[in-house]
Amino acid sequence: MNLTELPYRTLAIVRGTDRDAALRTVLTLAEEGITAAEVSLTTPDALWVITRARRELGPRATLGAGTVLTGEDAARAADAGASFLVTPGLGEDLRRSPTPELPLLIGALTPSEVITATENGALAVKLFPASLGGPGYLKALRDPFPTVPFLPVGGIDAASALGYLAAGAVAVGVGSPLVGDAAGGGDLDALRERVARWRTALTEEVAA
């Protein structure tokens, strides 16, 4: 899994209140070119969503589970067809995860947490919540950690996404500014319009 090759350097975060709407959201995002998505385990029947999306999108889909907190979460997500796992942090139970084959995006904010994430094999450090420091904080972190791949998440819109990518992020994770209310039953045409605007905004930076 190469995060720099994600379309538009974007990982969509689907966190909804309705399983069918969440599934439709994942599939619509893929249809519109945002083919990398994580389904938060806080979504009702999230594992069902992952299983059905995997069936629809095939084995090569970049489809993961988010808000993974425990080793049991990780194992169940792997069984459902997730190809990567995203955590808000790293607890002791998750360090003993029985799914070492799945890439981990481990949440961290402070330098000590960044070190812990990298020591535990993170494919990338999920800088969360990124909005606390903005692109300037990412730039400051990259001074002592120039080789660590960072993926900022939290409060990111198209304008700040460009700032993070310019500061050296490998990709960005984006939730409501892109997904909106679609995963709760909102209008899919409105979702398609947001995706179109996102693609336009990100194309220049990704092509650079």
Side-chain angles (χ1 to χ4, degrees):
M1 180 178 173
N2 187 338
L3 295 171
T4 62
E5 294 180 355
L6 296 183
Y8 308 99
R9 305 264 289 278
T10 297
L11 174 64
I13 301 169
V14 177
R15 185 188 305 274
T17 56
D18 177 270
R19 73 173 195 173
D20 295 301
L23 175 61
R24 290 192 296 269
T25 298
V26 173
L27 299 180
T28 300
L29 286 165
E31 289 171 3
E32 298 299 317
I34 304 296
T35 57
E38 70 166 88
V39 179
S40 171
L41 294 187
T42 61
T43 301
D45 292 326
L47 298 175
W48 177 88
V49 175
I50 293 170
T51 298
R52 288 292 300 272
R54 174 64 66 201
R55 188 181 306 164
E56 293 287 335
L57 298 174
R60 293 189 177 182
T62 308
L63 181 64
T67 323
V68 174
L69 300 177
T70 67
E72 181 180 358
D73 287 344
R76 293 171 64 213
D79 289 342
S83 55
F84 64 94
L85 306 173
V86 186
T87 82
L90 186 64
E92 188 60 36
D93 185 59
L94 192 55
R95 296 185 201 202
R96 300 191 299 270
S97 168
T99 58
E101 72 282 1
L102 290 187
L104 271 175
L105 279 63
I106 298 175
L109 182 63
T110 68
S112 294
E113 291 168 348
V114 171
I115 292 170
T116 298
T118 57
E119 287 179 344
N120 282 272
L123 172 70
V125 171
K126 169 187 166 180
L127 183 61
F128 176 79
S131 58
L132 286 181
Y137 182 60
L138 171 60
K139 184 176 180 181
L141 275 179
R142 292 193 70 243
D143 286 340
F145 302 113
T147 63
V148 172
F150 286 97
L151 189 147
V153 173
I156 293 177
D157 57 14
S160 60
L162 295 175
Y164 287 113
L165 293 173
V170 294
V172 295
V174 58
S176 57
L178 178 65
V179 174
D181 62 354
D187 186 358
L188 292 181
D189 286 336
L191 172 61
R192 292 186 179 94
E193 292 173 3
R194 287 191 296 273
V195 172
R197 291 195 296 269
W198 185 269
R199 290 197 316 256
T200 298
L202 272 289
T203 295
E204 181 177 348
E205 171 64 25
V206 172

